[in-house]
Amino acid sequence: MPIVIDKDIPAFKILTGERIFVMDTDRAFSQEIRPIEIAILNLMPTKETTETQFMRLLSNSPLQVNITLVRTATYNPTHTEQEHLKRFYKSFAEIKTRKFDGMIITGAPVENMPFEQVAYWRELEEILDWTATNVTSTLFICWGAQAALHYFYGIKKHPLKEKCFGIFAHQRVFDGEQEPLMRGISDEFHMPHSRHTIIYAEDIKNVPDLKILAFSRRAGASIIKSRDNKRVFVTGHMEYDRDTLKKEYERDKAKGLDIKPPVNYFADKEMTKVKMNWSSTANLFYINWLNYYVYQVTPYKLD
């Protein structure tokens, strides 16, 4: 089944070229199917790239998924054309009366700042409160995960001496319970990370409402959930494309930053080839989230 997006958004042409089943809104209105409604609060500066990455992953389930892109009103991003934001994004004020089956809140390049000093923090607090009553399950990514863990549970982030940057091996954490979110994912899997801060696993373990599902010796707790399944936290970037870390590395080098090449990422000494070993895990994870944490349990009759 397809995802439903505006046919003029750049992701439509990209995903169609990849033979991914996308449907424009006009055609979707004629379908006698109750689609799953997913909102994406996109806090990344590379809006078009990020929205395409998440749309690609959400397109792989048998469900018809309607995507609503959301932006902050209290901060005006400068890396994306204003016409693109105006045409394809909605403010929180425009969606706050709606119910959503699921929501994704992305990372943001503000991790070195105290949460309360982020320009849109007050607005994000309102959105986080709203998810508790208007969204079946919310998926928080990287800084978005750190922000939500801080806001809901008082968990602190801690600066790293060196940037956590590369592809790291992770192990599933088993406690005797069946975990649908991790169904089909190997005991050891890989995930990209790109951040300057970390959440300590011990702080998570001290919160009875939270459960660690996967852990990395280098990157720390990587997949965490609330026990009611309404909140899922991913500290890495399973959604990243093959060349995303390469572009980040080249960007930082061009700025003159002291940055090392991403760990376990390049497949050759010349750093021209990339070993992509996380895509199957990403696809399984997002299919499981949509199916078990959203579609099968959503209480909303949106029609």
Side-chain angles (χ1 to χ4, degrees), residues 151-162:
Y151 183 70
F152 288 121
Y153 306 102
I155 294 176
K156 296 180 180 180
K157 62 178 179 178
H158 300 272
L160 292 167
K161 293 181 180 179
E162 186 174 274

Side-chain angles (χ1 to χ4, degrees), residues 48 107 109 117 123 165 230-231 250 260 295 298 301:
E48 294 181 26
Q117 291 183 14
E123 182 180 7
F165 189 45
K230 285 186 66 65
R231 299 173 186 137
E250 292 171 346
K260 295 180 180 179
Y295 172 68
T298 184
K301 298 184 182 296

